[in-house]
Amino acid sequence: MTSAEAGTLRRLAPPARRFLAHRKGVLVRLALWSLAESGQAFLVGHAVARSVDEGFLAGDPRRGLLWLGIALVAVLSGARVVRGVFAQLAGVTEPLRDGLVRRAVDRSMAGAARGGPGGTDRAAVSRLTNQVEIARDSFAGLVLTLRSFVFTAAGALLGLLSLHPALLVVVLPPLAAGLALFLVTLRPMAAAQRRALAADEALGDHAARARAALRDLAACGTGPGVERSGADLVADAAAAARTLAGWAAVRTAALGVAGHLPVLALLVAVEWLRGHGVSVGALLGAFTYLVQSLLPALHTLMTALGAAGSRLLVVLDRILGPEPEPEPEPEPDPGSGSGSRSGSRSSIASAPRAAAFTVDTAAVPALELRAVTLSYGVRAEPVLDALDLCVAPGEHLAVVGPSGIGKSTLTRLVAGTLAPSRGEVRVAGRPVTARPAAELAALRVLVPQDAYVFSGTVGDNLAYLRTDVSRAELDAAVGAFGLGPLVERLGGLDATVRPAELSPGERQLVALVRAYLSPAPLLLLDEATCHLDPASEARAEEALVGRAGTLVVVAHRLSSAVRADRTLVLDGVRAQCGTHAELLGRSPLYRDLTGHWKS
């Protein structure tokens, strides 16, 4: 036994003693029913031996049948004994389950109350459902099998001794050898069970964190990395399961040794036993004790001890073990000037560092589409058909058109999250299709209509795409977007944000400041100001235009198109691009839109 396992046993011993001490009545009744089982085991083998020696071989078949009738009554009484045992078993197992559920809930609630960077205890789901049920079933199995083995073995061994002491000399050594071989597998099997449960919890935690950060993963292009991490965790869980299955196979081999060697030894030693005065009836009684009582009880015990025992020890350690220490807050980077914001960000959805990929945008167009066509199917009408577009560095372009015409599709193509059917999309002179996520993050930032705000500090949310931003730059950005009242209401940049408490417009302002602080040269706003009032929208667009870089806005109001340097009109037939005045003169669709837009 390892030191960790020994420590687990020492830690679990006091609560186990207290638990059993409060249920003495149930344990006494369980022992009384088990004594009946012990008497049953003794009577079956003894009656078979007497029926042969004193009945059939002695020429008295009626006496032989009488002893067999006694054996039959003993066997049939087993059903009543089992019923009584199970009736008492519920008085032990159900209180254990209830106590473990309370402990798992209390532990999870205490962890949530402490808070910290770890957030909620996602492994509590596994403890509260799967592990509690494993503990209850394993404990019930152990109680049944340990009780049955002790009392059945006592009755069978007493019966062998009553038939002839030489029988014990033959039977006990192979039984002990098989049991010893089995005990060798207990420690590695417990370790394998522990690794399997840890792998299960890690996979569940990863899935929960990935599910909560899906929007973040898609926006930052970190989905493939998270997918690879998930695949690694699945592989670890599969490897742990294979290891556990391997030790289970070894345990099965040990069961075979313990279950067959005693019978073979008894057969081999028949001549020797007969020479020491063992009668034919005693030999048959000994085989009956082995086959009907002792070996089945031993087999059940070894199965339960090898599987249920190791599972119970590991699960109780995880449920009743000491509370995990909260992870310490990472030390702030003295050179970042941003306090502790960068330390509390979850690694699963971290944005790729834009500094790892630099772009020279001075000599090439900021955005270029070359005969881009996009169809959602071989026979489907194209959403965009041979679209050509060139946007200069620093230009402000608005995109307008009816609902469903392809405006969001265009932003996804430019962002590199959607590949064109034909043609090429270039940002800063570089093709975006199939480009690595880190390079895409350095080229552009896409802000969708439904802005994403995560549970973290205000500063974490604002500096998410630029971890080296200074406090002065944060304050300036907050002021430029009029976010000061919201930050003050929340408690400052270091206060925790609860996304559900923010309005859609407030979440959009947070996302816009985040994009504003990003070092990427191209900003894509897909109706990212639709929840803002006209004044807030104008202020936000003015701040974004003043930022170094290029701005492409899917317009929500006419005022956005008027403020832009140029406007791209998507009409499903042919796209037109020009200034507000130019489009009023040559685009019927644009004129129609301006008559229905909110100003």
Side-chain angles (χ1 to χ4, degrees):
M1 179 176 293
T2 63
S3 59
E5 292 165 346
T8 298
L9 288 175
R10 286 193 298 269
R11 185 168 60 253
L12 296 179
R17 285 195 295 268
R18 290 193 298 270
F19 176 81
L20 295 176
H22 287 85
R23 288 156 184 85
K24 291 180 180 178
V26 175
L27 295 178
V28 169
R29 291 190 294 272
L30 196 59
L32 291 176
W33 281 110
S34 300
L35 280 175
E37 188 171 355
S38 182
Q40 174 202 14
F42 176 84
L43 278 176
V44 170
H46 193 80
V48 169
R50 291 291 179 264
S51 70
V52 173
D53 288 340
E54 299 176 7
F56 300 113
L57 290 182
D60 189 352
R62 286 186 301 175
R63 190 177 183 87
L65 291 174
L66 176 63
W67 278 109
L68 288 181
I70 294 174
L72 178 62
V73 171
V75 171
L76 294 177
S77 66
R80 182 71 182 88
V81 172
V82 171
R83 180 181 177 183
V85 168
F86 272 90
Q88 301 304 318
L89 184 65
V92 180
T93 57
E94 294 309 310
L96 173 71
R97 179 188 181 278
D98 295 342
L100 293 178
V101 168
R102 285 193 295 271
R103 170 62 177 170
V105 171
D106 291 344
R107 179 175 180 177
S108 179
M109 295 296 291
R114 283 196 305 269
T120 56
D121 182 13
R122 299 178 180 92
V125 176
S126 177
R127 285 196 294 269
L128 189 60
T129 55
N130 185 38
Q131 295 184 29
V132 165
E133 292 305 316
I134 288 176
R136 182 183 66 168
D137 294 345
S138 300
F139 181 69
L142 283 177
V143 170
L144 282 175
T145 54
L146 282 172
R147 172 208 58 81
S148 178
F149 175 75
V150 169
F151 287 93
T152 301
L157 292 176
L158 184 61
L160 286 171
L161 181 63
S162 69
L163 294 178
H164 201 286
L167 293 170
L168 291 178
V169 176
V170 175
V171 169
L172 280 181
L175 279 175
L179 185 59
L181 179 62
F182 166 76
L183 292 176
V184 173
T185 68
L186 289 182
R187 188 173 72 177
M189 192 164 186
Q193 182 71 54
R194 190 182 302 274
R195 288 193 297 271
L197 282 175
D200 178 62
E201 286 187 359
L203 183 58
D205 182 65
H206 176 85
R209 289 187 292 119
R211 184 172 60 251
L214 283 177
R215 290 176 60 89
D216 221 8
L217 296 174
C220 300
T222 54
V226 174
E227 183 179 354
R228 288 192 296 270
S229 299
D232 292 339
L233 290 173
V234 170
D236 291 342
R242 285 193 295 269
T243 301
L244 186 61
W247 282 111
V250 176
R251 183 203 65 202
T252 302
L255 292 176
V257 171
H260 293 89
L261 279 183
V263 176
L264 293 176
L266 197 59
L267 288 173
V268 171
V270 165
E271 184 177 353
W272 180 82
L273 290 170
R274 293 286 291 155
H276 285 74
V278 179
S279 66
V280 174
L283 285 172
L284 289 177
F287 278 110
T288 302
Y289 280 127
L290 285 177
V291 176
Q292 295 296 324
S293 300
L294 192 57
L295 294 183
L298 179 62
H299 184 280
T300 304
L301 171 70
M302 293 170 69
T303 302
L305 192 60
S310 61
R311 287 200 304 267
L312 181 63
L313 182 63
V314 172
V315 169
L316 289 180
D317 183 34
R318 302 192 77 84
I319 297 177
L320 301 177
E323 299 291 342
E325 294 294 329
E327 296 181 8
E329 291 284 351
E331 293 294 328
D333 182 2
S336 68
S338 56
S340 62
R341 288 186 299 274
S342 63
S344 62
R345 196 167 296 115
S346 172
S347 63
I348 193 171
S350 297
R353 293 185 178 273
F357 179 77
T358 59
V359 178
D360 179 11
T361 60
V364 295
L367 170 62
E368 189 176 10
L369 276 67
R370 300 176 178 177
V372 169
T373 298
L374 190 282
S375 299
Y376 292 105
V378 177
R379 294 181 176 85
E381 290 293 326
V383 179
L384 299 175
D385 191 4
L387 177 62
D388 292 309
L389 179 67
C390 185
V391 181
E395 188 175 4
H396 177 191
L397 177 73
V399 181
V400 302
S403 178
I405 201 65
K407 302 187 296 296
S408 295
T409 298
L410 176 62
T411 59
R412 291 179 60 196
L413 287 168
V414 175
T417 60
L418 183 65
S421 304
R422 292 187 299 276
E424 185 179 41
V425 180
R426 288 178 172 265
V427 174
R430 302 175 183 272
V432 298
T433 304
R435 184 165 292 279
E439 296 185 9
L440 285 175
L443 289 171
R444 87 294 180 266
V445 173
L446 171 62
V447 183
Q449 178 179 353
D450 296 323
Y452 176 66
V453 176
F454 56 85
S455 296
T457 67
V458 179
D460 282 339
N461 274 276
L462 299 181
Y464 187 68
L465 299 178
R466 183 181 166 193
T467 58
D468 62 345
V469 65
S470 67
R471 188 60 172 255
E473 289 174 305
L474 273 178
D475 292 336
V478 168
F481 284 80
L483 205 62
L486 173 61
V487 173
E488 184 178 353
R489 191 191 82 203
L490 295 175
L493 292 174
D494 295 322
T496 300
V497 176
R498 293 178 177 83
E501 297 178 1
L502 299 183
S503 69
E506 289 170 338
R507 288 198 292 270
Q508 283 190 334
L509 280 176
V510 171
L512 290 171
V513 175
R514 182 190 301 154
Y516 173 82
L517 291 170
S518 167
L522 174 62
L523 297 189
L524 304 169
L525 307 185
D526 185 6
E527 296 197 15
T529 60
C530 63
H531 296 297
L532 301 181
D533 59 77
S536 297
E537 181 184 56
R539 183 172 185 170
E541 287 190 9
E542 181 181 357
L544 292 171
V545 170
R547 172 188 180 275
T550 305
L551 179 63
V552 176
V553 179
V554 174
H556 177 66
R557 294 182 177 92
L558 173 62
S559 53
S560 292
V562 173
R563 284 191 294 267
D565 298 324
R566 287 190 301 158
T567 299
L568 174 67
V569 182
L570 300 179
D571 61 5
V573 179
R574 63 185 183 88
Q576 297 190 57
C577 191
T579 65
H580 173 66
E582 292 171 345
L583 291 173
L584 284 175
R586 69 171 187 253
S587 174
L589 175 59
Y590 187 77
R591 288 195 299 270
D592 184 62
L593 290 173
T594 57
H596 294 85
W597 255 341
K598 294 178 289 184
S599 58

